[in-house]
Structure formats: structure tokens, C-alpha cells
Amino acid sequence: PVCDRFGIMYDYRHKRIVIPWRHWMTGECIGTNARTTIDGYDILGIQKYMFSKGMNKSCTLYGLYENWDYIQKAKSVIVFEAEKSVLKACSLGYNNCVALGSKHVSAEQERILLGLGVDIIFALDQDVRCEEVLLMCDKFWGIRNTYFTFDRKKLLESKDSPIDRGIDIFDELLNSKYSYNEKAKRKLEGLLNEN
């Protein structure tokens, strides 16, 4: 059902999972990301991801078109890095999710997130540095309630997404999420002053 809802396909010839990206408002397919399923792809010199030629993923958010109603109903949006996390979260009952397609928020993605009028929860991969997460949150300071997950208990592996270890750990990370508030802003300013 999740694969049908998001239009996921498999390319048997190239051994890739094909993930369509849709324009957040119209639903029009703007391109695809093809993720390899070949073991040892890096040793073999095979690209893990291959975006279709000319695709501009920074002009939309993956999953927003499919999850719009759920996001409005939940009054919050969970922002992941990758499409895989959105799909996994949806299969576990979290339908208010989107993905950036990278570790950074583009100016257009920022505008789209602000326009949703809901709380924003960043649930980025474990290898994203704290100051990068805080910088991302700072873009929404004073406009939207903004939160971020932080694996204080070391429940995740070094490159995990917060959803990778299953629903119980994800629930724990969400329930202990941090608010980007005055204290977090001061911490960010201190980190930036150190550099």
C-alpha cells in the first residue's frame, strides 16, 4: 500500500528502486531518484543514488503532495533527509512526514515549510552535526514552533535515520524532542562564535 501510494517502482535491468518526486502542490512528477540495491555498490564504483537528468529536488519536499492532509490534521510535519525514511515512517503509521533529499533546507523548501502553518520537527540522520541542525531550526525562529530530535541515549548507529531502528526508538526520540527556543538559540550563537 505505501509503495502504491507513493508510486514506487523497481528497475530490474539496473537493479534500482525508482522513487518518483512530485511537485508539492500539483502532484506532477518532476523527476525520479533511483537507489541501487546492489551489495558493495561503493566498492564496484556504482552510484548509490541517481537522480533523473534536470531534476531540481530543492523546489519541493518529497512526500508533501501525498501527505498534505495528514500534515494538516496532525498540525505538524516531521522532516527527514531521505525518501526512504518517509516511506518507512508511513508504513509504521506516521503519515505527516516529508524529506529534503539532502542535509540542507533550500530557500524554496524553507518557504514551503513555513507556508504549511504547522509545527516543524527535524528528524535528521545521526551523522548530521548538532550545529547544522540548530542552523536549520534558526531559519524558522519566531515564525513556527520548531523542534529537533537528538539521540542523547545513543540508540542509533552512526548513519541511521531516526526511524531506522523501528517504531519504539522513533517514538522515544519524538517524545523527547527538543524545542528550538531561547536556550537553543543561545547555544547556536555560542557555537558560531567559537568558529
Side-chain angles (χ1 to χ4, degrees):
V2 171
C3 286
D4 290 340
R5 182 170 144 204
F6 288 87
I8 307 301
M9 298 165 279
Y10 190 74
D11 177 350
Y12 288 94
R13 183 176 175 199
H14 299 102
K15 296 183 171 41
R16 288 186 177 273
I17 298 165
V18 180
I19 305 167
W21 276 64
R22 303 193 179 284
H23 187 275
W24 67 276
M25 193 164 48
T26 66
E28 175 188 357
C29 183
I30 62 166
T32 60
N33 183 9
R35 186 180 197 273
T36 189
T37 58
I38 297 172
D39 289 334
Y41 64 88
D42 48 347
I43 297 167
L44 298 169
I46 297 169
Q47 287 181 290
K48 184 175 183 179
Y49 300 104
M50 286 183 64
F51 284 93
S52 53
K53 192 172 181 180
M55 182 179 152
N56 179 11
K57 65 183 187 306
S58 66
C59 73
T60 193
L61 291 161
Y62 179 79
L64 180 54
Y65 180 77
E66 294 87 349
N67 289 339
W68 178 274
D69 292 336
Y70 297 102
I71 289 165
Q72 295 303 315
K73 187 174 180 183
K75 295 183 175 29
S76 67
V77 60
I78 300 169
V79 182
F80 291 113
E81 267 183 59
E83 309 98 324
K84 175 183 66 88
S85 298
V86 173
L87 299 170
K88 188 164 189 175
C90 285
S91 73
L92 296 173
Y94 280 95
N95 294 293
N96 60 324
C97 305
V98 298
L100 300 169
S102 77
K103 296 180 187 300
H104 308 284
V105 179
S106 71
E108 182 66 5
Q109 289 173 331
E110 181 183 339
R111 187 187 69 75
I112 296 166
L113 284 168
L114 286 170
L116 293 174
V118 299
D119 292 351
I120 300 166
I121 304 163
F122 286 102
L124 301 177
D125 290 3
Q126 186 71 349
D127 61 351
V128 179
R129 294 186 349 247
C130 182
E131 51 265 41
E132 291 177 278
V133 177
L134 294 175
L135 274 169
M136 208 174 283
C137 291
D138 198 58
K139 294 174 184 286
F140 305 92
W141 169 250
I143 306 169
R144 296 281 176 261
N145 294 328
T146 308
Y147 305 88
F148 58 97
T149 60
F150 181 72
D151 182 20
R152 187 178 55 221
K153 295 182 182 176
K154 307 293 184 210
L155 303 170
L156 304 173
E157 297 294 324
S158 62
K159 291 183 182 273
D160 279 350
S161 163
I163 195 73
D164 281 350
R165 297 291 161 181
I167 193 72
D168 292 336
I169 287 176
F170 187 58
D171 282 342
E172 185 169 343
L173 291 169
L174 274 186
N175 290 333
S176 63
K177 67 186 178 293
Y178 291 82
S179 173
Y180 187 76
N181 52 25
E182 286 287 352
K183 184 177 178 183
K185 188 162 178 61
R186 282 196 304 273
K187 180 176 182 178
L188 173 61
E189 287 164 354
L191 286 167
L192 293 175
N193 288 337
E194 286 174 14
N195 295 331

